[in-house]
Each structure stands twice: as C-alpha cells, then as structure tokens.
Amino acid sequence: MSFIIPAIIALTVITALLKRTPVYNSFTSGAAEGIQIIIKIFPAVAAVMIASYMLRASGAMDMLCGIISPLTSCIGMPAEVLPLAMIRPVSGSGSLGILTDILNTYGADSDIGKIASVITGSTETTFYCICVYFSETKVKYSSKVIPCALIGDIVGMILGIIMVKI
C-alpha cells in the first residue's frame, strides 16, 4: 500500500512527458495559482475562524446552549451535543474538537456519541464554505443562500437524531 502515492506521481509525470507537457513549469504555475487563491480567501476564512473561537472563549456559546436546550430536548437532542450543533456550521476544526471531547467523555457507542458523530457527518461547515466559495467567485448577495444552507443543516441534524433513536 505504501507504493500507491509514488506510483500516482510517477504515472502523472510519465503521462505528462508522453504528451510533451513541461512538467516542472506546469507544477510551478499551478502552485502559484494556488497561492493566489489562498491569498484571496484568507481574510474571509480568518474572520470566520476568529469569530468561532471568540464565541467559545467568551462563554456566549454556553449561554446560547442554556437558552436553546429546552427547545432541542423536545426533538431528542441531548444538551451535551448542542455546542457541536452550534459550532459545526461555522468551524470544521472547532466542531471536530468538540466531537473528540464528546467521544472521549461519553464513548463512541453511547447515544450522545452516535448523535454527535451523525451530526458531524450529515452537516456542513456552512459559513466557512460560503466565505471560501463566495469570496473566490465574487458573489455579493448571499442573503438567500445562508437561510437555505442553515435549513439543510438543521434538517440533517434532526434526521440524524431520529435515525440514531430508531
């Protein structure tokens, strides 16, 4: 199995040589384009990451979880999963950190662990994706996209809870 990546690289280089493509020039121009894309999307990504960490560090996340917890308990969502459900649309790395904490505390086979895992797998980092894609494509009006994407996340969470409870 350890030969797969070198084999793919060798196959790519051999194919490029057979087609008389300048391999090194193509690689460096692709790398330069990648760096330009990173420079374009960095401010939006940094803003989302900073906002998500500030939300957790300030205690606002715990306050919001306390307010929302009675509503989410009606659909069977454990209060322990609420921080994950709230941070998932904002930050993938933050939600993976919360998922890891949940799995270490409650176990992967517990209902809480299963619900947290399904929520992580069935939702998207909505705001991160919108920032990255829209900053690159220069879309300025995202007012209809955000509610639709968040509704999709909520439906994914609710159906995930229902499927685990079945």
Side-chain angles (χ1 to χ4, degrees):
M1 287 305 274
S2 62
F3 66 89
I4 292 176
I5 300 293
I8 291 172
I9 293 171
L11 182 65
T12 303
V13 171
I14 290 168
T15 304
L17 290 174
L18 290 175
K19 291 185 175 187
R20 306 223 188 272
T21 302
V23 177
Y24 184 75
N25 290 340
S26 297
F27 176 77
T28 55
S29 66
E33 287 177 27
I35 289 172
Q36 292 301 318
I37 291 172
I38 289 171
I39 290 170
K40 287 180 189 175
I41 67 172
F42 181 76
V45 172
V48 168
M49 297 300 274
I50 290 169
S52 70
Y53 289 122
M54 287 177 60
L55 187 64
R56 287 184 68 192
S58 69
M61 176 71 72
D62 295 331
M63 184 179 71
L64 287 171
C65 287
I67 293 169
I68 297 174
S69 180
L71 298 173
T72 57
S73 65
C74 295
I75 61 168
M77 180 183 280
E80 296 83 2
V81 179
L82 266 175
L84 172 68
M86 293 181 68
I87 204 74
R88 179 70 181 155
V90 179
S91 170
S93 61
S95 66
L96 288 177
I98 294 172
L99 175 65
T100 302
D101 291 341
I102 290 171
L103 295 179
N104 287 336
T105 304
Y106 301 101
D109 292 331
S110 67
D111 278 347
I112 292 171
K114 289 177 187 176
I115 289 171
S117 297
V118 170
I119 285 175
T120 302
S122 62
T123 58
E124 182 60 69
T125 52
T126 304
F127 291 105
Y128 175 81
C129 289
I130 288 172
C131 285
V132 170
Y133 297 138
F134 284 6
S135 66
E136 179 59 24
T137 59
K138 308 285 189 274
V139 173
K140 292 183 179 24
Y141 303 105
S142 60
S143 61
K144 294 179 182 173
V145 173
I146 292 173
C148 292
L150 290 176
I151 288 170
D153 285 338
I154 291 168
V155 169
M157 289 179 199
I158 292 171
L159 289 176
I161 293 166
I162 292 169
M163 298 312 275
V164 169
K165 298 278 184 176
I166 289 179

